[in-house]
Amino acid sequence: MDATARTQKISANRRRGEILVNIDRSPRILCLTLGALAELEDAFEVQNLSDLGTYFSNGKFTANDIVHIIGAGLCGGGNLYTDDDVRCMSIEGGAVGLAQVAAELLMVTFSAQEPHLQTETTPTSQALSEKSKSRNQSSKPHK
């Protein structure tokens, strides 16, 4: 391993749905990309992302659920592991730690943290913005 590889810091971009987890004592990026979400739809036999979110919203995961979620997240993060590989992995905290990783990955993926899902240039958002500015200017006391 060269000096660049040893000093390279790995970081996750939560805005893109990434999390950083130490698995088997090595940092790994996990991300539920569209392809990873499609894998989960197939694994959990649901028809769409809304159904997938509903499936996970109860917070009750089986061990196989956790394997599928972490496996899909690893794949989405550029790590090529099979579900059998994931079954043999360890992280700090054991089974509870694995469940927490799965829950965090789902939270980062499905929570609407940023308004990036709505573009600022749509006619509706532009009209609302202009209307808001107009209201703010007319409500200021004149000197």
Side-chain angles (χ1 to χ4, degrees), residues 1 10 20-30 70 74 79-95 97-98 101:
M1 185 185 315
I10 297 173
L20 180 64
V21 180
N22 280 323
I23 298 176
D24 291 335
R25 298 188 195 132
S26 296
R28 303 275 186 242
I29 297 287
L30 281 74
I70 292 176
L74 281 164
N79 306 283
L80 302 178
Y81 295 103
T82 66
D83 283 352
D84 287 336
D85 294 331
V86 174
R87 285 182 178 89
C88 297
M89 292 178 171
S90 64
I91 69 163
E92 188 175 321
L98 288 165
V101 166

Side-chain angles (χ1 to χ4, degrees), residues 10 29 36 40 43 51 53 55 66 76 101 112 116-118 123 130 140:
I10 297 173
I29 297 287
L40 292 177
D51 291 347
Y55 181 89
I66 293 168
V101 166
H116 67 279
L117 297 176
Q118 178 184 6
E130 289 171 7
K140 291 181 182 176

Side-chain angles (χ1 to χ4, degrees), residues 118-132:
Q118 178 184 6
T119 60
E120 295 181 63
T121 58
T122 62
T124 304
S125 63
Q126 190 173 15
L128 288 172
S129 177
E130 289 171 7
K131 193 173 190 177
S132 176

Side-chain angles (χ1 to χ4, degrees), residues 13 53 67 92 105:
N13 183 340
V67 166
E92 188 175 321
L105 185 56

Side-chain angles (χ1 to χ4, degrees), residues 126-142:
Q126 190 173 15
L128 288 172
S129 177
E130 289 171 7
K131 193 173 190 177
S132 176
K133 286 178 189 175
S134 174
R135 254 193 223 137
N136 287 341
Q137 289 174 350
S138 65
S139 65
K140 291 181 182 176
H142 297 291

